[in-house]
Amino acid sequence: MKRILIPAGGALLATGLLAAGLAGAAQADDTVAKDNMATSAANAKAIAQFWAENNGAALKAATESNVWDKADVAKLQSKGGYSSDTKPGSTAPIGEEKKTSAKVQNVNMPKTIGKVFFVNSKGEKKWCSATSIQSQYRNLVATAGHCVYDTAANTDVLSKWVFVPGYYQGKAPWGIYVGKQAFTHYDFDVYEDYDRDYAFVTVYNGVKLDGGKATKVTPSEYKSHVAKGGVGYVKETPITKEEFEAGYDKYGEAGPFKSKAADPKVETVAKPADVTGSNVDAYIKGEGPTKGVQLTGAEVYKSQYTAAGSGFDNGDKFERLSTEVPISKEQYDELKAAKGDGKFMGEVRAQLGADKKTEVAWFKQQFFVKKWVKTTAQMKYWVEDYYVIDTKGMDAGRLGDNVGGQGFAWNQPTGKAVRVFGYPAAPHPDGNKNYTGVTPKWCYGNTTKKLVGSAAKKIEEHVALKCAMTEGADGGPWLYKYSNSKRLGYVNGVTSTFNDQDSNGRVDYISSPYFDGETNTVYKAAAASWSGKIV
């Protein structure tokens, strides 16, 4: 058992998550650290909606965790290693508390595994592997510590953290489970000690955003519903330029022009550095010295226009496009009605005659701000339909009730057979890409006491397994005494590092922190924590 100690009378340098840890993350003892994630049901509901809206677009856009680079894929050393701190122990999986396992030969993927999705400090959507695990309230997920804490930025827990068991191509068959609290060892939370690279996260009841009744509404009704904390989504349907120009007559309130639901989309660029008042006309015509850049206008409300600057940057006033123009009485009446219904962003005005009573002329004014774009960019058009969801039927229930939960084991000797599961996706150090990350993979073998040569990550007590899975599998469970018929075993590790033992540019070993009595202390604290429902 390794402990990080503070020298007597010595100064402690802030490393890793120290600031986050001392700001209230760690408990009074020196073993368990706890951090809040989604602190309210409303916050959790918004996170679930972030990942699920537009048919799981954010889930599909996520890529594998990128904590490890080529330099981190190092050789394993056979010296050193862990030391047990208590007697071996285990906690049975859900449903197997008083049963014995049967031995079979078929390899079946456990129902409990899935991906954890999160947004890192760079705003990137990422994922790791994970599993549901036994707990008092059947609400616990086991994964790697670096899949919960943003070690790259030395900040607190990763944002928008969710677990999706059985994930496949944007689908969440058992619902989306939003993280409520993250538990890890104090030495990882504060010192980024990768010998403690594990985490247990309590999750709220799952949310099935397709479980509630969806009703199509107007844009204004949708905005009002969401502003009050309601749940909904926007469906985008691509259309052609001709369909776009057909506008309101074809699409009604969801049409492009009057509802502003589908504006033409082009690639926005920064203002060319040499644009001045004397040459801006050339740029507007696409004739400026910087070819392929043109100034156009983006329509805004009068209040936005009034607040805009008067220079040449994106978002500044575009005066020549914001002038008042005459219109017919029919157009005036139509636009006035549309503005009252929130469909027209500009202003309309009627001019009275000499009698000060009769309207004799009518005008409209729209407001535009500058928008520099690449003239070669492809124009994209679409129509947006708005839906609100009745939250009845959205509660997917507790994680463990839906997919079960693996057991937990600690202080087990090496040389024992384990099955490791995960979603590998990253290429090997030589660039060869064997995995897609779409479906889970597995490795099987006996663990060995190894020491990963990484002083920067303070690794001294890892166990290893011969396995070629790459990043994306990190956080995946190492299951001891795995029963293929029951798809259950005991979590006795999580994938932490990837290693190239024969120096041929391919990952051939993976490693896990050794689960000892202190790991069990962290696990028990998490396993006894309640989370509750979102809806």
Side-chain angles (χ1 to χ4, degrees):
M1 177 184 70
K2 182 187 78 172
R3 298 311 310 273
I4 294 179
L5 302 175
I6 302 174
L12 175 62
L13 297 177
T15 60
L17 304 175
L18 178 59
L22 296 182
Q27 295 179 346
D29 61 62
D30 60 356
T31 300
V32 181
K34 180 174 68 174
D35 286 273
N36 291 325
M37 302 181 94
T39 54
S40 69
N43 181 221
K45 184 165 60 175
I47 292 172
Q49 186 174 354
F50 168 82
W51 290 106
E53 63 186 0
N54 291 329
N55 196 29
L59 295 173
K60 296 174 185 176
T63 57
E64 70 275 7
S65 166
N66 57 350
V67 171
W68 305 104
D69 56 30
K70 292 181 181 179
D72 289 314
V73 180
K75 277 191 175 183
L76 295 164
Q77 301 175 30
S78 57
K79 62 182 179 180
Y82 68 86
S83 58
S84 300
D85 57 351
T86 58
K87 293 181 179 180
S90 63
T91 300
I94 291 177
E96 297 297 306
E97 292 85 351
K98 296 181 180 180
K99 299 179 181 180
T100 58
S101 61
K103 293 183 178 180
V104 294
Q105 296 301 317
N106 295 328
V107 178
N108 297 314
M109 293 293 174
K111 192 177 175 182
T112 62
I113 62 172
K115 290 183 178 181
V116 295
F117 293 86
F118 49 84
V119 177
N120 65 18
S121 58
K122 297 179 182 179
E124 300 168 328
K125 303 177 185 71
K126 294 291 181 179
W127 52 261
C128 285
S129 300
T131 184
S132 171
I133 190 171
Q134 171 74 282
S135 66
Q136 180 178 346
Y137 299 102
R138 301 194 175 189
N139 63 341
L140 195 61
V141 176
T143 188
H146 71 261
C147 298
V148 172
Y149 293 90
D150 198 342
T151 58
N154 295 333
T155 56
D156 211 330
V157 290
L158 294 155
S159 68
K160 295 181 171 63
W161 196 98
V162 299
F163 176 56
V164 183
Y167 172 81
Y168 182 73
Q169 294 186 336
K171 303 299 182 183
W174 305 106
I176 295 176
Y177 298 80
V178 180
K180 182 176 184 179
Q181 289 182 312
F183 293 77
T184 191
H185 195 286
Y186 183 82
D187 287 351
F188 186 84
D189 185 42
V190 178
Y191 306 109
E192 295 181 27
D193 178 6
Y194 273 73
D195 277 334
R196 302 296 185 180
D197 186 21
Y198 49 78
F200 303 97
V201 179
T202 60
V203 293
Y204 290 93
N205 278 20
V207 174
K208 285 189 175 181
L209 292 188
D210 59 351
K213 180 181 178 182
T215 303
K216 188 175 180 180
V217 297
T218 65
S220 56
E221 288 172 333
Y222 171 82
K223 293 176 182 178
S224 175
H225 178 76
V226 173
K228 296 176 182 177
V231 177
Y233 64 92
V234 179
K235 179 183 178 182
E236 296 179 355
T237 304
I239 58 175
T240 65
K241 179 180 179 181
E242 292 72 25
E243 289 175 320
F244 174 81
E245 291 175 345
Y248 186 76
D249 292 338
K250 183 176 180 63
Y251 294 103
E253 188 172 350
F257 288 114
K258 296 194 175 182
S259 69
K260 303 303 172 186
D263 292 324
K265 298 301 178 183
V266 298
E267 182 180 0
T268 302
V269 298
K271 179 204 70 175
D274 57 351
V275 174
T276 64
S278 61
N279 65 13
V280 67
D281 288 328
Y283 275 99
I284 293 173
K285 298 175 182 178
E287 300 172 352
T290 303
K291 297 297 183 182
V293 177
Q294 188 173 354
L295 180 63
T296 183
E299 188 175 3
V300 295
Y301 288 102
K302 183 178 181 179
S303 59
Q304 295 171 287
Y305 176 83
T306 302
S310 57
F312 293 101
D313 289 323
N314 283 327
D316 284 337
K317 289 185 176 70
F318 204 166
E319 290 88 351
R320 70 191 69 200
L321 291 186
S322 304
T323 55
E324 190 176 63
V325 296
I327 57 175
S328 67
K329 177 67 164 61
E330 291 74 21
Q331 290 175 308
Y332 172 82
D333 291 338
E334 183 180 352
L335 292 179
K336 186 175 181 181
K339 182 172 178 60
D341 202 18
K343 303 173 188 174
F344 175 58
M345 299 176 74
E347 299 285 340
V348 291
R349 179 177 68 87
Q351 180 178 315
L352 301 179
D355 61 2
K356 304 298 182 181
K357 296 180 180 180
T358 306
E359 295 180 354
V360 297
W362 302 269
F363 303 87
K364 76 170 182 178
Q365 184 174 11
Q366 293 168 278
F367 303 94
F368 297 86
V369 294
K370 294 182 174 70
K371 185 176 182 181
W372 293 95
V373 300
K374 290 184 178 179
T375 57
T376 55
Q378 181 181 3
M379 301 288 283
K380 297 180 181 179
Y381 308 89
W382 67 82
V383 171
E384 294 178 342
D385 292 314
Y386 298 83
Y387 295 85
V388 298
I389 298 176
D390 182 352
T391 57
K392 294 179 180 178
M394 287 179 59
D395 183 16
R398 299 187 303 182
L399 174 64
D401 292 335
N402 290 326
V403 301
Q406 301 296 335
F408 180 71
W410 64 96
N411 273 332
Q412 302 298 321
T414 53
K416 300 293 185 180
V418 295
R419 288 200 187 277
V420 177
F421 298 91
Y423 291 80
H428 289 274
D430 65 0
N432 191 285
K433 187 173 174 64
N434 292 33
Y435 307 104
T436 64
V438 174
T439 55
K441 303 297 180 182
W442 60 270
C443 287
Y444 176 78
N446 294 336
T447 58
T448 177
K449 183 186 293 188
K450 293 284 187 179
L451 167 64
V452 181
S454 177
K457 290 185 168 57
K458 308 174 182 69
I459 297 175
E460 299 176 3
E461 296 182 350
H462 271 212
V463 293
L465 180 74
K466 188 172 180 61
C467 177
M469 287 198 293
T470 58
E471 199 162 13
D474 41 339
W478 293 34
L479 299 181
Y480 174 58
K481 293 184 177 180
Y482 183 69
S483 167
N484 289 307
S485 62
K486 298 174 182 177
R487 303 176 190 245
L488 294 173
Y490 295 79
V491 179
N492 191 220
V494 291
T495 300
S496 173
T497 75
F498 305 89
N499 307 277
D500 179 11
Q501 189 70 0
D502 54 14
S503 302
N504 68 346
R506 298 289 185 92
V507 172
D508 51 21
Y509 269 85
I510 59 177
S511 76
S512 165
Y514 179 69
F515 279 18
D516 59 12
E518 293 194 6
T519 312
N520 184 42
T521 299
V522 177
Y523 162 72
K524 287 195 300 183
S529 298
W530 177 82
S531 48
K533 299 180 179 180
I534 293 178
V535 293

